[in-house]
Amino acid sequence: MDKITKHRISIYGINGCHDAMESNLVEVTQVYVEKDSPAYNHNNVKTLCGKMSQDRVNILDGNRFRDKIDTNRSQGILIKAQVSTFSSLPKTEKTNSCYVILDQVQDPHNLGQILRICAGASIDGVIITERNSVSMTSAVAQVSQGGFAKIPLYSVTNINQAIAHFKKDDFWITSFENNIDAKDWYKIDLKGRSILIFGGEGNGVSKQVLKNSDFTATIPMSNQMNSLNVSSAVSAIVFERLRQVST
């Protein structure tokens, strides 16, 4: 049986809250809507609120709503929820399937951006490590702009064991790291079953993970720049993969 961990979060804004309310990865426990706000007048938000148990939906006047949240960017909606992460890695029957593994990414803004990017690039899931990594938090969910509600997040104790799991299912493993053996990123075939591994801020991909990878690739830089931020690197690669599988 899959072990599921639930993380308590709070997020605001119409798009992210709407996606959370629609998602089977998210259990919304409370919704707070400011009367006469953009969210209050939003038809899809109204519909989703109408489907919820009404003891979870709170319509508040402006002063009471502002007591709940200290930002002027909420668009009049705040939700409290529990988001599921999974410890059992998936199996797939898809010909084209792709998962992103993050080797000790610790910045919540990077993880949030990566979830948003991967959701938009048809990635099947994001995998993080249990230790020395950021997990699901309110900051991660907020930055993801609804991405957290659209793509499953897996948490594993050991990336090398995860690699072995996917290799049994005929996945090719590519790590992205600047070294002399790395191929240019645009020369890698990303179609089919593919695992893409990116290192965390500062340390990069660990040596044993590189050893267990089928390929190592890099994004060449100019003007003596060493590397991209991890979320920018993920964006370049996953959208190149999307281009490849779409043509």
Side-chain angles (χ1 to χ4, degrees):
M1 179 178 292
D2 192 12
K3 179 185 175 185
I4 298 174
T5 301
K6 294 192 175 183
H7 306 261
R8 293 181 180 179
I9 64 158
S10 300
I11 63 164
Y12 58 84
I14 290 174
N15 290 339
C17 291
H18 174 271
D19 291 341
M21 293 165 72
E22 278 196 322
S23 174
N24 59 9
L25 298 172
V26 182
E27 178 188 352
V28 177
T29 55
Q30 291 289 318
V31 181
Y32 301 94
V33 178
E34 181 182 8
K35 192 173 182 181
D36 298 325
S37 68
Y40 181 84
N41 295 309
H42 194 281
N43 288 333
N44 288 345
V45 170
K46 286 183 180 180
T47 299
L48 290 170
C49 285
K51 294 178 179 178
M52 293 182 62
S53 172
Q54 290 307 290
D55 62 351
R56 298 187 179 190
V57 179
N58 306 272
I59 308 298
L60 307 177
D61 63 32
N63 289 332
R64 290 179 63 206
F65 183 81
R66 285 187 287 275
D67 286 340
K68 296 286 184 184
I69 184 169
D70 184 22
T71 179
N72 59 4
R73 300 189 304 164
S74 70
Q75 300 176 294
I77 187 167
L78 165 72
I79 69 168
K80 295 184 181 295
Q82 296 187 102
V83 184
S84 296
T85 60
F86 307 91
S87 60
S88 295
L89 293 174
K91 304 282 285 184
T92 186
E93 296 181 357
K94 294 167 63 177
T95 301
N96 283 305
S97 182
C98 184
Y99 293 84
V100 166
I101 296 180
L102 304 177
D103 190 353
Q104 300 185 44
V105 167
Q106 298 176 340
D107 185 338
H109 287 80
N110 276 333
L111 180 56
Q113 289 282 10
I114 289 167
L115 289 172
R116 181 181 186 180
I117 290 162
C118 289
S122 296
I123 300 300
D124 294 302
V126 173
I127 299 161
I128 60 174
T129 55
E130 287 184 4
R131 299 181 62 186
N132 300 319
S133 296
V134 65
S135 188
M136 179 56 62
T137 66
S138 295
V140 169
Q142 192 66 52
V143 170
S144 79
Q145 291 292 300
F148 77 100
K150 295 184 176 183
I151 186 167
L153 183 64
Y154 300 87
S155 182
V156 299
T157 57
N158 187 296
I159 289 179
N160 292 299
Q161 291 177 1
I163 289 173
H165 165 89
F166 284 111
K167 281 190 173 184
K168 290 177 182 177
D169 215 10
D170 296 326
F171 279 81
W172 293 96
I173 315 298
T174 304
S175 287
F176 291 86
E177 181 78 0
N178 291 332
N179 64 43
I180 60 173
D181 297 320
K183 295 183 178 180
D184 289 340
W185 64 290
Y186 49 82
K187 295 180 180 179
I188 299 291
D189 185 354
L190 301 174
K191 299 187 293 295
R193 296 182 178 181
S194 185
I195 299 296
L196 311 176
I197 303 178
F198 299 86
E201 306 86 357
N203 294 325
V205 179
S206 61
K207 289 183 180 180
Q208 191 60 43
V209 170
L210 289 172
K211 183 178 179 180
N212 289 332
S213 300
D214 298 303
F215 308 105
T216 305
T218 188
I219 301 174
M221 305 290 290
S222 61
N223 290 318
Q224 297 181 320
M225 299 300 292
N226 290 328
S227 63
L228 291 172
N229 170 279
V230 62
S231 61
S232 298
V234 170
S235 181
I237 299 304
V238 298
F239 281 105
E240 167 59 16
R241 174 195 170 269
L242 185 61
R243 183 196 69 79
Q244 291 186 19
V245 300
S246 300
T247 56

